[in-house]
Amino acid sequence: MAHSARRDSPKLPDFSLLKRLAKDQLVYLLEQLPGKKDLFIEADLMSPLDRIANVSTLKQHEVDKLYKVEYKPIVSTSDQLCFLIRPRIKTVKWICDVANADKAAGRFRRYKIIFTPQKFYACESVLEEQGLFGDVTTDEWSFYLLPLDDDIISMELPEFFRDNFLAGDQRWVRTAGSTLHLLHSIYGPFSKIYGIGRCSKMVYESWREQVEEEETKARQAEIGNVFLIDRDVDFVTPLCSQVVYEGLVDDIFKIKCGCVGFGTDATSDKNVKVMLNSQDKVFNEIRNEHFSNVFGFLSQKARNLQTAYDKRRGMDIKQMKTFVSEELKGLKQEHRLLSLHISASETIMKKKTKQDFQEMLKTEHSLLEGFEIRECISFIEEHIIRLVSMIESLRLLCLLSITENGLLPKDYRSLKALFLQSYGVEHLLTFANLKQLGLLVEQQPGETLTAMESKVGKLVNDKTAGKLTDAFSSLAKKSNFRALSRKLNLVPKSDEEYNLRVPRDMAYIFSGAYIPLSCKLIEQVLERGGWTGLEEVTRLLNGHEFSVTGNNGADLRANNDAPRIVVVMFLGGCTFSEISALRFLGKEKGYKFIVVTTAITNSSRLLEALLENHMRPVNT
Amino acid sequence: MSFITANWNPLGDAFYRKTELYDMCWNLRDSGLRDSLVAAAHYGGPIALLREPQRRSPSSRPQLEIYLASGISITSFPWKSGPVVHIGWTVTDELLCVQEDGSVLIYNLFGSFKRHFSMGQEVVQSQVLEAKVFHSPYGTGVAIVTGSSRFTLATNIDDLKLRRLPEVPGLHGKPSSWLVLTQDRQTKVILSNGPEMFVLDNTSCTPVCPPGLSPQYGSVVHMCVSFSYKYLSLFTDTGHLWTGSSNLQDKLSIVDTKKKTTPNQMVWCCRPQSQQLSVVLMWDRLLLVAGICGDTIQFPVDDPCVLVGELDGVRIINSTNQDLLQEVPLVCQDIFKIASMAPGALLLEAHREYEKSSQKADEYLREIKEQSMLGEAVRQCVEAAAHEYDANTQKSLLRAASFGKCFLVDFSPDQFVTMCRELRVLNTVRDGAVGLPLTHTQFKQLTLQVLIDRLVYRQFYPLAIEICRYLKIPDYQGVSRVLKHWASCKVQQKDLSDEAIARAVCVKVGDAPGVSYSDIAAKAYECGRTELAIKLLDFEARSGEQVPLLLKMKRSQLALSKAVESGDTDLVYTVVTYLKNELNRGDFFMMLRNQPVAQSLYRQFCKLQEQETLKDLYNQDDDHQELANYYITASYREKRLETRLSVLQKAVDEFNKAKNEFAAKATEEEMRLLRFQRKLDDEKGAGLLGLSLQETMEVLLSLGLHKHTEQLYRDFRLPDKRYWWLKLKSMAEKHEWEELEKFSKSKKSPIGYLAFVDVCMKSNNKSEARKYVSKVTPEQKVRAHMVIGDLEGAADAAIERRNDSEMGAVLSRCSTADCLLIDRLNRARVSASKK
């Protein structure tokens, strides 16, 4: 950040403990199957696993060969097979196929499935159905949390979003509850818990239940506040183009599990994997910067580096020796990182300074401000017709719908028709999904919802009706973005020049055009110590807000820092831009935010999760 | 206090004492303990009597009576089952009655029948001659010897595994004496048959000869093993008592009792850290304590009695009273032995003088302090109090300890305080009404947890709760546990209404931590009180706990909604799977319909496992929209075009029913497109099937099939914009510049002319691009010029339009070489801003 941090910024708890715990447990589980064994790892667990235990650790515990789960017959020669997987029916079915194939071939092996972070009854029932319940043993690796950085912890569960918000499948709620419980038992007790959203509330309740089941001991709290937020409370933020460095890198190169491959165009040598976190000194200074500042910063850095190198001149032998032994390595390292980020920035520049991107940003900003909507619609039309990018088109459509509280019936139809002609009729299903989530809807004339409610109310008793209404309201959710934006002042007045070098508020992450709703809510609630005064806002957000003062065994001699440490748990994913905004907010207000998320997301991940185009015709 | 030693009898270098525990409250009439099978449980447990077990006629049956250790009757009922050979108590105070036919009946403390098991089919024929109940680390076991002289044993009746031991050579009928002992985690039988002795284990029968027991001593007729299975004693027909280790490796002693008759009962009497082990032998008129040193103590007996071996002594029960015979603990000897100079004894004396207000108190104290033994003295007094049964003696010892404590600094009071509390509890439970004559040593061995369990088992709920509170046991292990048992017992009271019981339970239990209402409800259901169970379940806070029981009670609807409330999807899933098998389809779907959470879970499951069911589910709900979506998905699974079209037609129908005209139309168009694609694929082999409309047209254009493109354009009423884009792109890609120009002039472009510039530039054809710049609308002029890299033109246009931001945009593209241009633009900007 360009400006200096508040000096008394609190210290973050040490989250490396989480990694150690996970590692110890994994080792224990591996040792439960003594002897040499082959380990099959689900593809999306490979990177997280790598952060916990590397290959040599696995080998130490008698893992012979490592395979990726590929849903094909296996070639292993080992007598013991261990599967490290997410609790998904598809994978368990595949394992059953493997075991049954062995049986048919008269081959005897031992099979063990390690589910992470937990097992589901549905998975075990597949084993039962296939008559393999005894032959295949199961275990749980309660690896809930992966610290990606000092202040980012991820559950690495991207499917949380689709399962919970689209399919209405609440299986992960308990997982999230356990996650919170884990944090609570190590870093708690929490003194304040706030939240908004249906899922947040359920997660909170699940956590409470787990806390009540055990005896409490007074401990020194390291985390004072917790804020739970559902992704569907704010869809606008993740749908906007990211323009802060870290977000841009994610949009363009796709950061996976804190690691990025910059591709051949960004780095001279072959595709290198780079860890992006606060350990990378150069990255740490530019990650939260608006992209327009990054180049200036990098070139300043390069000049400094040159000066440091130049010190060599005129040194005597002894000085030179110290220089080589002490400074040179650091400088070399910095040099390497610097050149990496400079070339990454060049790639970004190439892509993002094109006219198209500028116009897209302009359209986005117009949508956020609610100006020149017709122009925006024709921009989107052209975008669809020209097949610029399917995901981007969907993104703009959704932004249009949310900011305008639904599309006019005529536009809704014509835009959809254009899209289907461009990308195929299977996207009827994608549209159905988007509609269900309230991301792309038609403006409703009148209040049909209440009519439906009263009809349903007559059919079933009150309690169920209440639940149904709940379900419906989430179905036909209105975004009310415009009203919210006015209430919370989300869109700064556009006539003033916004200085991106010295930002004055969180809007800087979107070039001064929009303050992320999610972060604004957090700011407001922390400031007020609850939801009082925000009644209108919560009504517009369909309620489900809560704020609870925890008093379970809180040690009164609490760590002075704890009340200023805030865990923000995003259920359904959060973006790097939001993290940057929270870091900014933390510096302004003297908080330290720790972001716990089900997964890091961005607009394309969010929308790809809602696509239904996975079944292209077989014969093409 | 000289009288304390009055009942002490020296045995070797130790003392033995007999303390009275109770005047027995029972009234055994004339026969007393004669003609009865008697079983008294260890640790001051209950006493069972089966009177006149040999009676067989239906008119006069044996009577089974159960008493507390103090003789208070708990229950009594006529024995209606078969003839009983042996009775004994399990470690959990349940009564085992071994019948002649080998079946074992289990009763609880209150005489209600629990269950039974058999010691093997062959026993029915051969009959049980003798049986023994024994305790091992695995629990309670039963051993029998049958008429065919075979031994069968079960080491744990709760995990019944019968083991038939190998045959004993030369044994006919029952052996002269035998017993079961547990060694090195193995259960063995030792037996004597005439002059021979054998050890029987699982696989072999080994003849043994105890060291030092030469044939001249005669043959063994009676034997017993100590409480801890460490020592064995053998009584021979010549009246000699051999004692040694139970593994028959070492001899302790051989004592001549000078009694030739076989004793009625023989029991080891020892305690932890015994100085002088002894064996108690009982004949009709004599009780003999034989120490291994060779000394004996004799007590006359005038009434038949029963000996019960305990951890630290022997209880002697007869028809009128109950005594505890034990070796006097060393610490008590030190304090009470006449003229003892042990620090504890001096402290006791000092305190006694102090109470008499005599200055001698000081002298005694000084004496102890000079030896710096005061701490030791206090400890001795406290410890001795533990071993005294008489409350007054306990008090005087504790007072002395408390007195001594005053003269000590930095002395931890914990031991003293704990002892006071524990003794208070022990004195309470020793009371005749409770009837648990536990010594402190036994109490420590038994643990407080078990003591509370025993109180609960005897239904002394208020006392148990008092004790928990008094000893400040955490609720989880204490009060809550008692309440749980109380409630489980309460729900079985048949004379109370469901309502009353539910209310009573709720009032008492409240929200005590760790009490699970579902457990209580399960108990109620077990007793056949379903309504009560449901009432109780309502108090259960954790809905997850309610579900399994509700399912068991067939309240599936309630179970489902509770499962949903719990937020635990595994639970919901369990119920759903259960219901799926239990209900018919219609009812099942109906039930899901009212539970959106369960329904979406089931849908997820069906999507992965049973696609067909999904269809039925939507059908049942008349959910046409989802049904249509289902068909759309399904259509992609069809390989043949005809079936695919027919599935799509179904989708169209459903969309229509769902009043989703847009989707219906889109699907219809898709069908039309598919037919078109097939036709063209057949004719030209274009490979179109499955492409989107746009993709199809792109392919058509690239193949030069303009007519067909036109046809699609008209048939699908494509927007002009799309058509123009398509044409434009295709022509530029094929470098058909003349065609392009013609096309641009065919009519006014619906997509403007900047697009023309763009596509030309994409093919790097600047000169073609230039042709269209002039046609571009004024707003896009600057941009068009910039696209072709004509900065000057862009600058002109911008200046003409006096547009500041456009001028800025041009400026930003200027390099230092264009200083003239920069100059011009800057001037224009200044003049523009002035106006």
Side-chain angles (χ1 to χ4, degrees), chain A residues 541-608:
Chain A
L541 288 169
N542 296 311
H544 294 300
E545 79 282 0
F546 59 92
S547 120
V548 190
T549 308
N551 53 351
N552 41 312
D555 192 337
L556 291 174
R557 301 162 289 136
N559 181 344
N560 281 332
D561 280 352
R564 288 187 292 144
I565 303 268
V566 187
V567 161
V568 180
M569 190 169 188
F570 284 92
L571 297 162
C574 84
T575 64
F576 279 117
S577 292
E578 280 168 315
I579 299 176
S580 292
L582 286 176
R583 284 184 185 133
F584 174 85
L585 183 65
K587 280 186 179 149
E588 289 284 293
K589 311 267 176 183
Y591 288 114
K592 265 285 185 200
F593 287 98
I594 298 152
V595 172
V596 177
T597 176
T598 50
I600 297 285
T601 192
N602 59 21
S603 53
S604 42
R605 282 186 207 120
L606 191 90
L607 291 169
E608 273 159 16

Side-chain angles (χ1 to χ4, degrees), chain B residues 736-756:
Chain B
E736 297 171 340
W737 305 119
E738 278 171 38
E739 298 283 321
L740 184 65
E741 199 171 345
K742 242 188 259 165
F743 180 60
S744 78
K745 287 171 184 159
S746 63
K747 68 180 203 189
K748 190 172 177 290
S749 160
I751 52 172
Y753 291 91
L754 186 58
F756 283 74

Side-chain angles (χ1 to χ4, degrees), chain A residues 93 359 418 421-422 620, chain B residues 573 609 689 692 694 722 783:
Chain A
K93 269 185 158 172
E359 287 198 7
L418 281 180
Q421 287 168 353
S422 287
T620 54
Chain B
Y573 193 78
Q609 301 272 64
L689 199 70
S692 75
Q694 170 116 354
R722 183 185 294 275
R783 211 180 127 191

Side-chain angles (χ1 to χ4, degrees), chain B residues 47-198:
Chain B
I47 306 170
L49 251 63
L50 187 66
R51 323 228 2 186
E52 301 175 77
Q54 63 285 357
R55 284 191 187 177
R56 302 274 154 105
S57 77
S59 56
S60 72
R61 295 193 183 271
Q63 188 76 7
L64 183 69
E65 298 170 354
I66 299 177
Y67 298 93
L68 289 177
S70 55
I72 291 178
S73 168
I74 301 176
T75 183
S76 151
F77 58 94
W79 183 259
K80 289 181 185 159
S81 302
V84 175
V85 178
H86 184 78
I87 56 176
W89 292 95
T90 70
V91 279
T92 50
D93 284 352
E94 284 178 324
L95 185 64
L96 301 179
C97 304
V98 187
Q99 295 193 142
E100 220 170 59
D101 61 358
S103 54
V104 182
L105 281 65
I106 306 178
Y107 290 82
N108 76 3
L109 189 63
F110 300 96
S112 39
F113 175 73
K114 305 283 284 186
R115 63 190 176 96
H116 80 278
F117 62 90
S118 162
M119 291 300 286
Q121 270 312 305
E122 69 279 6
V123 190
V124 181
Q125 282 299 313
S126 54
Q127 304 264 296
V128 180
L129 293 183
E130 270 184 1
K132 288 191 196 302
V133 172
F134 61 94
H135 306 295
S136 71
Y138 310 107
T140 303
V142 175
I144 56 165
V145 54
T146 64
S148 50
S149 304
R150 292 296 292 267
F151 288 88
T152 302
L153 57 84
T155 41
N156 181 5
I157 55 156
D158 293 322
D159 177 21
L160 195 68
K161 281 193 196 81
L162 292 180
R163 285 192 290 136
R164 198 149 180 246
L165 301 185
E167 210 165 335
V168 182
L171 178 65
H172 300 287
K174 61 179 182 187
S176 24
S177 67
W178 64 286
L179 54 80
V180 185
L181 62 90
T182 306
Q183 261 175 354
D184 312 327
R185 289 187 289 162
Q186 247 206 326
T187 310
K188 298 173 183 170
V189 167
I190 294 187
L191 66 111
S192 66
N193 183 30
E196 292 169 294
M197 274 188 78
F198 300 95

Side-chain angles (χ1 to χ4, degrees), chain B residues 346-366 403 407:
Chain B
L346 292 177
L347 179 60
L348 188 65
E349 199 52 41
H351 179 244
R352 207 173 284 147
E353 294 301 333
Y354 170 75
E355 293 215 309
K356 280 193 260 168
S357 313
S358 149
Q359 84 282 9
K360 274 195 190 149
D362 184 49
E363 279 169 34
Y364 285 122
L365 263 180
R366 262 174 217 286
F403 172 69
F407 301 94

